[in-house]
Amino acid sequence: MLIISDYHMHTPLCGHATGAPQAYAKRAIQTGLVEIGFSDHAPLLSHKDPTITMDYSQLPIYHDMVESVRAEFSGELTVRVGIEADYMAGYEDRTKAMLAQYPYDYVIGSVHFIDKWGFDDPIQLKQWDIRDVDEVYREYFRLLRKSALARIFDILGHVDLVKKFNFHPKKDLTDEVEENARIFKKTGVVIEINTSGLRKPAKEIYPSLHDLKIYCQKGIPITFGSDAHRPEEVGMDMDNGREWALAAGYKEYVLFEKRKIVKTVGLV
Ligand code: ZN
Ligand code: FE
Ligand code: FE
Ligand code: ZN
């Protein structure tokens, strides 16, 4: 069975993705997807950076854009409206207030920052040289748990993004991942199989098979996302994602509407 849904894709509003949203939808149909969701980077609330996210004032443009794709492709493709919002400790209430303004089908919560350090940003790569990698991982996982406990998000994005540039911890951090699984279960969040890791130096899907097995054992549901920043990336490596999920023990994945799981789809 092909994976039928791709819930993670961007638009040019974020300043680092290219291609019209219509081109993403066309590509989705070409690759056999029946459901997509846009999940562009929500405005940063801590500071402005037009190369990372849209501006707050552009939120209405984003929603008009997704609505027009939805109308244009109705009958051919189900188009969901999502968003990828940063988890920033201290900004929980402001994030909630921002997200309450629109009727999303799902909200992806992502940890891209440790304090003010954008650890997955190529421009800030040098920081890695002066950091203790084990500590960075622990801090990242701690923030992931805080993001779940904030109860702002439906899906947590790329839950080991910290491996992006191929820095790996020396210590075995299985205990941290088990604690993540416990908190994810308690808060009811879903995680995503994000295939974009294959296109990054880590050359591996997020999360790792080691981690995914732990999440599967705990019964954390999954969605699939390509994290496309170009139309050609829509649906990319979904077969690998499916194999990854099966290898971890998953039997199914979920679909969202109006911030609720509305369907489970079998992997076989
Ligand atoms: Zn991006
Ligand atoms: Fe992200
Ligand atoms: Fe993304
Ligand atoms: Zn992402």
Side-chain angles (χ1 to χ4, degrees):
M1 277 280 284
L2 288 168
I3 299 300
I4 61 164
S5 55
D6 182 344
Y7 272 6
H8 197 145
M9 59 194 69
H10 292 272
T11 83
L13 284 177
C14 70
H16 61 275
T18 55
Q22 279 79 2
Y24 287 64
K26 277 195 192 117
R27 179 68 183 173
I29 293 167
Q30 273 172 16
T31 59
L33 292 166
V34 304
E35 179 161 329
I36 61 167
F38 287 93
S39 54
D40 205 4
H41 298 284
L44 281 173
L45 300 172
S46 52
H47 59 288
K48 285 181 193 244
D49 187 338
T51 71
I52 299 184
T53 74
M54 68 181 89
D55 188 76
Y56 208 96
S57 65
Q58 291 176 305
L59 265 172
I61 302 171
Y62 175 62
H63 286 275
D64 286 349
M65 229 157 69
V66 177
E67 277 314 312
S68 69
V69 177
R70 197 208 290 268
E72 197 175 318
F73 289 85
S74 80
E76 288 180 274
L77 185 69
T78 299
V79 178
R80 299 286 177 212
V81 54
I83 199 155
E84 179 180 19
D86 281 89
Y87 175 72
M88 298 259 205
Y91 290 85
E92 289 86 348
D93 291 346
R94 275 165 280 189
T95 305
K96 249 182 230 172
M98 171 179 67
L99 296 171
Q101 294 183 78
Y102 293 94
Y104 292 100
D105 287 312
Y106 58 85
V107 174
I108 299 177
S110 293
V111 175
H112 298 113
F113 294 92
I114 293 175
D115 300 320
K116 292 273 139 64
W117 177 37
F119 62 84
D120 79 319
D121 185 350
I123 294 163
Q124 301 181 56
L125 192 54
K126 271 252 168 282
Q127 271 286 317
W128 277 98
D129 297 340
I130 56 165
R131 299 266 184 160
D132 178 324
V133 174
D134 289 33
E135 271 316 303
V136 173
Y137 270 71
R138 280 193 198 282
E139 185 57 17
Y140 171 75
F141 286 138
R142 201 179 66 83
L143 289 169
L144 269 187
R145 293 192 288 272
K146 283 189 80 168
S147 76
L149 288 164
R151 297 181 191 267
I152 303 173
F153 311 114
D154 308 306
I155 302 166
L156 298 188
H158 41 58
V159 292
D160 67 352
L161 178 65
V162 68
K163 75 181 174 195
K164 177 175 173 177
F165 295 120
N166 243 340
F167 295 99
H168 293 282
K170 287 191 223 46
K171 287 210 192 72
D172 178 12
L173 299 180
T174 300
D175 57 333
E176 291 277 345
V177 179
E178 282 170 347
E179 185 59 7
N180 292 347
R182 196 179 70 77
I183 297 297
F184 296 171
K185 183 69 186 177
K186 182 176 130 179
T187 55
V189 290
V190 171
I191 59 169
E192 62 166 9
I193 308 277
N194 183 313
T195 60
S196 74
L198 290 168
R199 313 192 295 267
K200 300 289 153 47
K203 288 200 162 46
E204 184 181 87
I205 288 169
Y206 306 113
S208 71
L209 195 52
H210 167 272
D211 294 4
L212 194 57
K213 283 177 180 168
I214 293 168
Y215 297 135
C216 179
Q217 223 155 33
K218 252 308 193 234
I220 314 301
I222 49 169
T223 58
F224 285 89
S226 63
D227 216 337
H229 285 72
R230 300 184 289 132
E232 310 84 77
E233 291 173 349
V234 173
M236 200 175 251
D237 292 309
M238 284 298 163
D239 289 343
N240 291 319
R242 178 180 165 276
E243 293 299 327
W244 205 242
L246 283 168
Y250 279 97
K251 303 273 186 284
E252 59 190 31
Y253 57 105
V254 301
L255 300 179
F256 274 86
E257 185 176 1
K258 300 195 170 83
R259 306 202 63 175
K260 294 253 180 327
I261 294 172
V262 290
K263 204 175 171 189
T264 60
V265 185
L267 284 166
V268 285

